[in-house]
């Protein structure tokens, strides 16, 4: 189903500025026996709402198909993400004075990677995540988890059970919901009067300015600016009170919101900076498609040249962003041999669309790979550090965005 009205404010029409063609679902990894079967493909088109400044994709794939049937992402396989979330948890515990009488609720809690930082210190927690394998892993790690989608109805049910969140966390999940207003209404219902909600998502400004087109896939319905968040929160009686920017995932923002309006300088400054940059106008986004085409042509030229020289090339990272990149650019077995990933749940499967096999990172040395294309470039430093043996043997890395480059 294709959307024409804004998911946030309902304004129509919204203005398209990018098309990545028809692509398979980014997390729909294939087993060997399914390689000959037809794969569902959906338009991947991005638009801007001139009324509330929300950037969003036009196509809406049912969430059940995205996050239950195909979802194999486990957060605990990233050391950098574990460090980041522990620092955030420690900060929240100290600033909010959380103890055994508090309640921390996280939506999109995955395998419990974030909430276990609270649980280990005796602070009650509740995770909410519809992906069954991840919810099971969280339970096994000691994190009580509801395997459900979060919305206003679930929030009302939890309040009826006597639950109110002193801290409500939504890390890299609000972009995954097509029903934005029900999601944020749920936060306003479930949040204690003096509670805070901490929301993280990749920054749309970084996405546009750094050419991060591979962050776009069907699982991400929306791409947020501070302006879009401010408009969305106000609609549901919440206030955007503070904003933090950090480099994770190619540039992310953390929005701290609450029932009371206690706006800090950080929020005012980010909102003013977005206005000054033109992010509330279509022109900021209009030429993005041309820059994406340039990245595609330069990356293809680089890979074809290396192949012509007889070089062996593999890729690192069978995540959703990697699927967008290889399918849009057209990187198949003619250009690279295989993909490696630390996530054992993905090893032995195949990337959607291009059908590249996914192997353990040890294959890089076994197969004498010369170049490694970093599909998970957002964890560039972590991957390069992990691959000391590959680098010492002469292996080199290809970073695809913001412009393709080779690093030693």
């Amino acid at each position: 189903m294709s959307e024409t009205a804004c998911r946030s404010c309902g304004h129509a029409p919204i203005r398209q500025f990018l098309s990545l063609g028809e692509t398979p679902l980014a997390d729909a990894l294939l087993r060997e026996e399914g390689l000959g079967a037809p794969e569902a493909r959906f338009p991947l088109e991005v638009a801007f709402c001139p009324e509330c400044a929300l950037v969003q994709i036009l196509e809406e794939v049912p969430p059940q198909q995205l996050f239950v049937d195909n979802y194999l992402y486990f957060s605990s396989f990233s050391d950098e993400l574990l460090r980041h979330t522990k620092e955030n948890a420690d900060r929240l515990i100290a600033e909010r004075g959380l103890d055994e009488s508090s309640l921390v609720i996280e939506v999109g809690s995955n395998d419990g990677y974030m909430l276990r930082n609270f649980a280990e210190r005796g602070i009650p927690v509740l995770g909410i995540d519809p992906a069954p394998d991840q919810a099971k892993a969280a339970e096994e790690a000691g994190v009580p988890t509801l395997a459900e989608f979060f919305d206003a109805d679930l929030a009302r049910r939890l309040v009826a059970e006597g639950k109110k969140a002193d801290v409500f966390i939504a890390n890299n999940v609000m972009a995954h919901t097509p029903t934005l207003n029900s999601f944020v209404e749920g936060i306003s219902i479930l949040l204690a009067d003096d509670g805070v909600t901490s929301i993280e998502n990749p920054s749309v400004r970084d996405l546009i300015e750094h050419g991060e087109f591979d962050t776009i896939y069907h699982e991400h319905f929306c791409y947020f600016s501070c302006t879009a968040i401010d408009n969305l929160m106000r609609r549901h009686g919440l206030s955007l009170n503070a904003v933090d920017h950090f480099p994770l995932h190619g540039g992310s923002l953390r929005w701290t919101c609450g029932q009371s309006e206690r706006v800090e300088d950080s929020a005012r400054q980010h909102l003013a900076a977005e206005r000054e940059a033109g992010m509330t106008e279509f022109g900021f986004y209009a030429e993005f498609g041309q820059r994406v085409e340039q990245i595609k042509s330069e990356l293809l030229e680089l890979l074809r040249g290396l192949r012509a020289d007889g070089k062996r090339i593999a890729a690192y990272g069978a995540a959703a962003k990697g699927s967008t990149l290889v399918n849009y650019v057209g990187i198949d077995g003619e250009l690279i041999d295989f993909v490696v990933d630390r996530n054992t749940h993905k090893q032995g499967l195949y990337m959607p669309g291009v059908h590249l096999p996914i192997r353990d990172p040890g294959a890089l040395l076994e197969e004498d790979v010369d170049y490694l294309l970093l599909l998970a470039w957002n964890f560039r430093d972590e991957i390069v550090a992990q691959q000391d043996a590959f680098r010492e043997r002469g292996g080199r890395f290809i970073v695809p965005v913001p412009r393709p480059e080779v690093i030693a």
Side-chain angles (χ1 to χ4, degrees):
M1 182 181 73
S2 183
E3 292 292 314
T4 56
C6 177
R7 285 189 175 85
S8 181
C9 70
H11 177 83
I14 53 179
R15 299 185 64 183
Q16 180 179 323
F17 63 88
L18 175 69
S19 174
L20 297 176
E22 292 198 352
T23 69
L25 298 181
D27 281 309
L29 304 181
L30 302 171
R31 300 187 182 280
E32 186 171 4
E33 58 269 23
L35 292 178
E39 291 178 76
R41 291 177 176 265
F42 303 89
L44 191 51
E45 299 162 335
V46 192
F48 169 78
C49 175
E51 183 68 22
C52 72
L54 180 66
V55 173
Q56 56 207 281
I57 64 171
L58 296 176
E59 191 73 14
E60 185 173 309
V61 179
Q64 178 81 15
Q65 194 172 349
L66 294 170
F67 303 114
V68 177
D69 297 342
N70 299 306
Y71 205 57
L72 291 174
Y73 177 74
F74 286 75
S75 299
S76 292
F77 284 100
S78 170
D79 296 334
E80 183 178 345
L81 187 59
L82 292 177
R83 286 193 298 270
H84 170 78
T85 52
K86 184 179 187 308
E87 289 172 2
N88 190 21
D90 290 345
R91 178 188 64 83
L92 287 166
I93 291 169
E95 289 182 0
R96 307 299 301 175
L98 302 177
D99 56 25
E100 64 279 356
S101 66
S102 307
L103 177 61
V104 178
I105 295 178
E106 182 182 13
V107 174
S109 48
N110 201 265
D111 56 12
Y113 74 109
M114 173 68 166
L115 287 181
R116 70 188 190 196
N117 292 292
F118 300 96
E120 288 168 356
R121 295 173 66 170
I123 299 167
V125 300
L126 175 65
I128 302 171
D129 197 301
D133 292 339
Q134 288 81 344
K136 179 181 177 183
E139 289 277 358
E140 291 172 350
V143 175
T145 303
L146 294 176
E148 300 185 42
F149 288 99
F150 179 75
D151 58 13
D153 289 338
L154 176 55
R156 292 187 188 95
R157 195 177 87 210
L158 293 174
V159 170
E161 295 172 1
K163 294 181 174 63
K164 278 279 191 175
D166 298 287
V167 173
F168 184 99
I169 299 169
N171 288 345
N172 298 298
V173 64
M174 201 161 75
H176 292 71
T177 177
T179 55
L180 268 184
N181 287 295
S182 182
F183 187 96
V184 179
E185 182 187 358
I187 296 175
S188 68
I189 291 168
L190 196 51
L191 196 63
D193 290 344
D194 61 346
V196 298
T197 180
S198 176
I199 300 168
E200 293 184 13
N201 269 109
S203 159
V204 74
R205 181 170 186 171
D206 286 310
L207 186 158
I208 297 296
E209 292 186 341
H210 302 154
E212 298 168 1
F213 72 92
D214 54 343
T215 307
I216 298 166
Y217 37 91
H218 295 100
E219 288 88 338
H220 279 177
F221 294 100
C222 300
Y223 305 85
F224 295 104
S225 62
C226 297
T227 304
I229 288 288
D230 186 46
N231 288 326
L232 176 60
M233 292 297 150
R234 288 179 184 278
R235 193 174 305 118
H236 297 281
L238 297 172
S239 174
L240 172 60
N241 290 331
V243 179
D244 295 287
H245 181 272
F246 43 89
L248 189 69
H249 299 310
S252 293
L253 291 167
R254 177 188 296 135
W255 301 284
T256 301
C257 308
Q259 307 277 20
S260 301
E261 189 165 338
R262 299 170 182 167
V263 182
E264 299 179 11
D265 286 345
S266 62
R268 295 189 188 94
Q269 290 165 2
H270 275 273
L271 289 168
E274 289 185 358
R275 288 192 298 272
E276 292 169 7
M279 291 180 63
T280 59
E281 304 295 333
F282 181 75
F284 181 82
Y285 309 90
E287 296 180 357
F288 186 59
Q290 295 176 12
R291 290 191 281 126
V292 171
E293 282 285 342
Q294 184 67 24
I295 294 170
K296 173 181 178 177
S297 62
E298 290 182 9
L299 184 55
L300 280 174
E301 182 180 2
L302 173 61
L303 295 176
R304 287 168 177 162
L306 293 173
R307 274 301 217 205
D309 290 340
K311 303 300 183 183
R312 295 209 67 187
I313 309 171
Y316 194 111
K321 65 191 302 98
S323 178
T324 290
L325 190 143
V326 296
N327 278 283
Y328 170 68
V329 176
I331 300 173
D332 57 16
E334 294 294 316
L335 291 174
I336 65 175
D337 297 301
F338 54 87
V339 179
V340 298
D341 199 293
R342 290 178 70 195
N343 186 338
T344 53
H345 301 275
K346 297 182 178 181
Q347 293 166 11
L349 302 178
Y350 293 79
M351 296 288 283
V354 294
H355 298 174
L356 293 164
I358 304 167
R359 302 177 61 179
D360 179 271
L364 297 174
L365 299 180
E366 295 169 6
E367 302 290 345
D368 291 328
V369 170
D370 301 297
Y371 288 82
L372 185 60
L373 173 63
L374 297 184
L375 300 178
W377 52 261
N378 50 318
F379 293 116
R380 164 181 169 166
D381 294 342
E382 177 181 336
I383 295 169
V384 171
Q386 288 171 6
Q387 297 302 321
D388 275 342
F390 172 74
R391 190 173 67 250
E392 289 171 2
R393 203 205 58 206
R396 305 181 77 186
F397 303 89
I398 302 170
V399 182
V401 296
R403 297 288 291 272
E405 65 170 327
V406 176
I407 62 173

